[in-house]
Amino acid sequence: MIGARGTVPAMSTRHLFGTDGVRGIAGVAPMTASFALSLGTATAEHLRDRGTERPVVVVGRDTRRSGPMLASAVAAGLNAGGADVIDLGVMPTPGVSHLVRALDAAAGVVVSASHNPFADNGLKVFGADGAKLADAEEAALEERLSQGAVEPRERSGADLGAVRRYRTEDGHYVRFLLGHAPYLDGLRVALDCANGAAYQIAPRVFKQIGARLEVGHDKPDGLNINASCGSTHPEALRQRVQQGGFDVGVTFDGDADRALLVDRHGRLVTGDHVLVINALVRGEKHVVATQMSNLGAERYLAEHGVTLHRVQVGDRYVHEKLLNEGWRLGGEQSGHVLFLDKAPTGDGILTALQTLAACRASGVALEEWVERIPCYPQTLANVPVPAAVKRGLADDDAVAAAIAEATGALGDDGRVNVRPSGTEALVRVMVEAASDELVERWSLHVVAAVRAAAARGVPAAAVAPVAAAPV
């Protein structure tokens, strides 16, 4: 089975797999049907070589137009490699993770580009433990894919894999969510489903726990996933909650592995707020966050005896740190939160339910928590940069000088973080400071340096070799 950490020797740097699987524009290499077919075959052969004679793999997807094409191709590749497939249809990423374990599968494959625009798509693989593959496991798959199309060993008749549809009425994932949900007793809730994978399951769960519900962006057409909605565009939900007199708003991204909340005053409740609320109510002493998490939240936690440990951006690194240290709670500012005592991967619906449950258990309303938790002004600028050079920009001399100047000026009351996106052709520039004026000034300064470096190109020495780099 895939998923046993540390059982595969470390290999060369991954080029296809980014921080969240393989991503790209659907129909353009590497995100083509032929590549999905090869990935399916490689996964099946990998499982069989590691001792699973007749692997069972669950496959789920979000609502993108390209999803059925890629999911069918993955399933065909798995079948050709001798693996049976349980087709979950449209299913949140954390639902796929849960069903890997609930159905005793050897692995799971998700076809989704999460929060990316609809034209993108992605492929990510879960191990038998329901967690994303470790770097070494992904490198092992890359090794099989490195020579181009993967030809399966010859099989015929009963040796070929079969496909069966999952019975949605079995409801394994819904039952799991309900088992970790508070009773909301008529709480007025506005949901934004991002026209994505949560559009059916999230309303069903919230209705069953007593919410008075208004649901928006729950009519996917294959093109409107994440389009001016969802956790990447919470502005409309903030306005709707405030004007409509709702108690809370909840918004997901396209594959529902993250969630942001909105309090009754229309204020955004980020993953940093969620970490603080749950850490204090649960009595955690250690939480794991990333370089993007707010300095104000970190200091508030420290005042209450909780240490925040930072890792590089990406939920896989949060997950790794939690596992290594034996801790339970961590996450990202984006709302991708891990409750490792509940689930092995981020789950937007679970995150919202656990946060509302924590508010009820503490007797402190969500809006009161928002007022208590100090968050420093922060801005995140996404600078378009060609995928081939984005990883070298932070090492450019002029960019490094701009970062050093900003960092020196801000001192202990501010931070600068410049990093290539792991999923898009962007460089993300985060600046945090004690005032909006300082944030704006130094953000413009660093962004200008990044744009100038991108325009002139990056010196060859600054760029690591890239082969089919993920975007």
Side-chain angles (χ1 to χ4, degrees), residues 15 27 42 48 218 227 286 338 340 384-385 400 407 426 428 437 458 467 469:
H15 299 306
R48 295 177 72 99
D218 60 336
H286 299 273
L338 292 162
L340 284 194
V385 173
T407 300
L426 301 170
R428 305 193 194 278
E437 187 272 331
V458 180

Side-chain angles (χ1 to χ4, degrees), residues 379-395:
T379 189
L380 178 64
N382 294 319
V383 185
V385 173
V389 301
K390 68 177 181 178
R391 297 189 183 279
L393 282 184
D395 297 324

